[in-house]
């Protein structure tokens, strides 16, 4: 049985992080369950050459973010955890305060209550004390706060190199094997994830 991972795409800038993560996971032995907010769909159109349905097709299962009765809303639906990438401050606030008004926040809350991994790729700058307080509050209940802050010791040459380094850091925390960037103290160069034949996606409640 493949390992399941839930991916949430909220409406912050940097939607390409989530899109590329889905592309990489499609080439791995993971079953992806995707939730995209309405603002996330808008940002796909604004910031990329994809359409929301193109991104949905990258996942094995896609859910309407309003469908709070979907599988990821229950702790009995077993997963390895969830990544919200990118994560808006609004979504961060919902998660930090357990305000589960939609499936994206509910699925994140499930990860926390079941003691599963939850990564929040919070994308906002500058940050006022309210933002910082929310991140601290989310961390207190078990979320892993991982803003897309690039490193340069791996000598990135392209924007993709910078994006891949953040995705690699998320994969490290989730325990997903990869070779997306050159690590500190290693001489090996970036590699590519071996491809596999994509499966037909299943769209639920959209």
């Amino acid at each position: 049985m493949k390992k399941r991972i839930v991916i949430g795409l909220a409406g912050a800038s940097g939607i390409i992080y989530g899109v590329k993560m889905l592309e990489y996971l499609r080439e791995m032995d993971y079953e992806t369950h995707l939730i995209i907010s309405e603002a996330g769909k808008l940002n796909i159109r604004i910031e990329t050459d994809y359409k929301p349905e193109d991104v949905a097709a990258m996942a094995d299962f896609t859910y309407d973010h309003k469908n709070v009765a979907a599988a990821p809303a229950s702790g009995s639906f077993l997963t390895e955890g969830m990544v919200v990438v990118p994560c808006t401050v609004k979504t961060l606030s919902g998660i930090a305060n357990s305000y589960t008004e939609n499936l994206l926040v509910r699925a994140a809350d499930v990860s926390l209550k079941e003691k599963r991994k939850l990564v929040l790729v919070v994308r906002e700058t500058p940050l006022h004390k309210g933002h910082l307080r929310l991140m601290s509050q989310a961390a207190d209940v078990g979320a892993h706060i991982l803003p897309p802050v690039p490193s340069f010791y791996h000598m990135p040459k392209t924007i993709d190199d910078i994006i891949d380094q953040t995705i690699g850091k998320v994969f490290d925390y989730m325990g997903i094997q990869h070779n997306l960037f050159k690590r500190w103290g290693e001489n090996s160069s970036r590699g590519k994830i071996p491809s596999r034949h994509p499966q037909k996606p299943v769209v639920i409640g959209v």
Side-chain angles (χ1 to χ4, degrees), residues 1-5 7 17-33 58-60 80 83 164 166-181 183 190-199:
M1 180 178 176
K2 290 183 178 180
K3 295 179 179 180
R4 295 170 177 159
I5 184 168
I7 304 294
Y17 287 102
V19 174
K20 287 202 69 177
M21 185 173 293
L22 284 167
E23 289 179 336
Y24 288 140
L25 288 170
R26 186 170 56 176
E27 308 302 327
M28 299 176 174
D29 198 26
Y30 281 83
E31 182 180 282
T32 51
H33 294 257
M58 296 177 187
D60 294 294
E80 299 300 304
V83 181
D164 286 352
T166 291
I167 295 174
K169 294 293 287 185
V170 173
F171 283 175
D172 284 350
Y173 180 73
M174 296 299 293
I176 299 173
Q177 296 292 320
H178 70 91
N179 191 23
L180 291 176
F181 65 91
R183 299 180 183 279
R190 279 176 76 248
K192 292 184 178 180
I193 297 170
S195 63
R196 66 174 175 86
H197 296 295
Q199 297 180 342

Side-chain angles (χ1 to χ4, degrees), residues 9-72:
L9 305 186
S13 184
I15 200 78
I16 191 62
Y17 287 102
V19 174
K20 287 202 69 177
M21 185 173 293
L22 284 167
E23 289 179 336
Y24 288 140
L25 288 170
R26 186 170 56 176
E27 308 302 327
M28 299 176 174
D29 198 26
Y30 281 83
E31 182 180 282
T32 51
H33 294 257
L34 175 65
I35 307 163
I36 313 176
S37 71
E38 288 302 316
K41 293 176 183 178
L42 177 62
N43 234 21
I44 289 170
R45 296 187 180 97
I46 292 172
E47 294 190 352
T48 77
D49 293 327
Y50 295 99
K51 297 176 181 178
E53 52 267 33
D54 298 331
V55 176
M58 296 177 187
D60 294 294
F61 297 87
T62 302
Y63 305 91
D64 186 335
H65 83 291
K66 297 177 182 178
N67 183 11
V68 293

Side-chain angles (χ1 to χ4, degrees), residues 42-114:
L42 177 62
N43 234 21
I44 289 170
R45 296 187 180 97
I46 292 172
E47 294 190 352
T48 77
D49 293 327
Y50 295 99
K51 297 176 181 178
E53 52 267 33
D54 298 331
V55 176
M58 296 177 187
D60 294 294
F61 297 87
T62 302
Y63 305 91
D64 186 335
H65 83 291
K66 297 177 182 178
N67 183 11
V68 293
S74 173
S76 64
F77 182 72
L78 299 179
T79 72
E80 299 300 304
M82 180 174 180
V83 181
V84 183
V85 53
C87 180
T88 61
V89 169
K90 179 182 178 180
T91 298
L92 167 67
S93 180
I95 294 168
N97 291 285
S98 299
Y99 186 64
T100 56
E101 66 171 349
N102 59 53
L103 180 61
L104 200 162
V105 176
R106 170 59 186 173
D109 198 57
V110 165
S111 288
L112 291 175
K113 79 182 185 69
E114 299 296 331

